[in-house]
């Protein structure tokens, strides 16, 4: 795939109270299926890898309206730049994303609004070892930056995720952090605070049923 671009796209995803969604627009195929034994094997294409040179979205708006679970979300002015190489044993992806505003309602309660985000990450997936490596992943939310790097490996025998991650959070002030917490969670009075806040730590161990990785945190 050499290039795929969309500009000023708008998506409205809707599900009614009965669970019927407006994106289920393709009718089920009820025609008879040919016997596999009668098909020539050389007519079936084999794709060993997919190279995505560039996928770009500019000024995209997405609305998710789920009346069944009473969830409403709106993403405004989102931009995406993606490059990827998907192979049988090894895959690699570079991603850049940002948006102007994110709004989220649930059960008629506003949980998030006026949230601007930016994400830059490089991901490497080794299929033979089932290991996902994050290279200098940076997530910015309303001026607060979170850096994450390390590995996550799937253990199929014990059905857990083996995590080895380190993270660091940068905020311009404590006031910025408090403004991100919804009023439904923490009732905030007028707060004035200056000075940078940094929190760093690690997540190491297994994540699965009744298992959580050990977490460390240092705030300065």
């Amino acid at each position: 795939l050499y290039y795929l671009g969309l500009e000023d796209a708008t998506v409205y995803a809707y599900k009614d109270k009965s669970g019927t969604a407006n994106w289920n627009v393709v009718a089920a195929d009820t025609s008879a299926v040919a016997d596999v034994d009668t098909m020539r094997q050389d007519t079936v294409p084999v794709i060993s890898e997919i190279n995505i040179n560039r996928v770009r979205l500019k000024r995209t708006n997405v609305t998710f309206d789920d009346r069944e679970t009473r969830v409403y979300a709106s993403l405004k002015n989102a931009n995406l730049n993606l490059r990827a190489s998907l192979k049988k044993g090894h895959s690699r992806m570079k991603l850049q994303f940002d948006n102007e505003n994110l709004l989220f309602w649930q059960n008629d309660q506003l949980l998030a609004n006026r949230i601007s985000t930016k994400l830059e990450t490089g991901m490497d997936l080794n299929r033979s070892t089932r290991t996902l490596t994050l290279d200098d992943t940076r997530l910015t939310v309303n001026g607060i930056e979170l850096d994450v790097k390390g590995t996550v490996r799937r253990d199929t025998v014990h059905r857990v995720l083996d995590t080895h991650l380190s993270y660091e959070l940068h905020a311009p002030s404590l006031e910025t952090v408090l403004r991100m917490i919804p009023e439904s969670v923490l009732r905030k009075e007028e707060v004035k605070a200056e000075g940078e806040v940094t929190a760093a730590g690690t997540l190491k161990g297994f994540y699965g049923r009744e298992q959580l990785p050990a977490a460390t945190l240092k705030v300065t």
Side-chain angles (χ1 to χ4, degrees):
L1 177 61
Y2 179 72
Y3 177 76
L4 172 64
L6 291 175
E7 294 187 10
D8 301 302
T10 299
V11 177
Y12 179 70
Y14 173 81
K15 184 190 291 185
D16 64 21
K17 293 182 179 180
S18 66
T20 302
N22 67 346
W23 58 82
N24 293 332
V25 296
V26 179
D29 186 4
T30 58
S31 61
V33 180
D35 191 345
V36 177
D37 294 336
T38 63
M39 298 177 60
R40 290 174 52 88
Q41 294 297 324
D42 57 1
T43 63
V44 180
V46 177
I47 301 176
S48 59
E49 65 179 72
I50 300 176
N51 289 315
I52 302 174
N53 187 60
R54 191 179 188 188
V55 172
R56 186 171 187 179
L57 305 179
K58 297 179 65 176
R59 300 180 300 274
T60 301
N61 300 300
V62 179
T63 300
F64 180 72
D65 188 358
D66 190 342
R67 304 295 175 87
E68 184 181 21
T69 59
R70 301 177 68 185
V71 169
Y72 180 89
S74 175
L75 183 68
K76 297 295 184 182
N77 283 340
N79 302 289
L80 172 71
N81 204 343
L82 171 69
R83 298 175 185 269
S85 176
L86 311 177
K87 300 180 180 181
K88 184 177 181 180
H90 192 269
S91 296
R92 178 75 180 168
M93 182 181 72
K94 293 286 290 185
L95 172 69
Q96 294 178 328
F97 172 86
D98 66 83
N99 74 281
E100 180 180 317
N101 185 42
L102 174 65
L103 180 145
F104 186 84
W105 285 80
Q106 186 172 25
N107 295 325
D108 299 324
Q109 188 173 24
L110 181 62
L111 299 180
N113 192 19
R114 298 187 180 92
I115 296 180
S116 175
T117 68
K118 183 178 181 181
L119 174 64
E120 295 184 14
T121 183
M123 298 183 183
D124 187 284
L125 176 62
N126 189 320
R127 299 183 185 276
S128 61
T129 60
R130 300 182 178 89
T131 301
L132 176 66
T133 302
L134 300 177
D135 297 331
D136 297 327
T137 297
R138 171 164 292 189
L139 173 64
T140 304
V141 180
N142 288 358
I144 298 178
E145 297 181 353
L146 174 64
D147 298 332
V148 181
K149 59 183 178 180
T151 62
V152 177
R153 184 180 65 85
R154 182 186 177 191
D155 188 334
T156 57
V157 177
H158 301 93
R159 296 183 179 179
V160 295
L161 291 177
D162 186 7
T163 61
H164 289 265
L165 298 173
S166 61
Y167 64 91
E168 189 169 357
L169 180 71
H170 310 271
S173 69
L174 182 60
E175 182 182 352
T176 306
V177 178
L178 292 176
R179 281 203 303 264
M180 293 184 61
I181 304 175
E183 290 285 349
S184 59
V185 177
L186 176 65
R187 186 175 298 277
K188 301 182 287 291
E189 303 295 338
E190 190 68 24
V191 176
K192 294 294 183 181
E194 297 181 356
E196 184 178 351
V197 179
T198 301
T202 59
L203 288 173
K204 293 185 178 181
F206 295 115
Y207 175 78
R209 186 175 183 180
E210 299 182 354
Q211 294 187 78
L212 291 174
T216 63
L217 175 64
K218 181 180 179 180
V219 180
T220 56

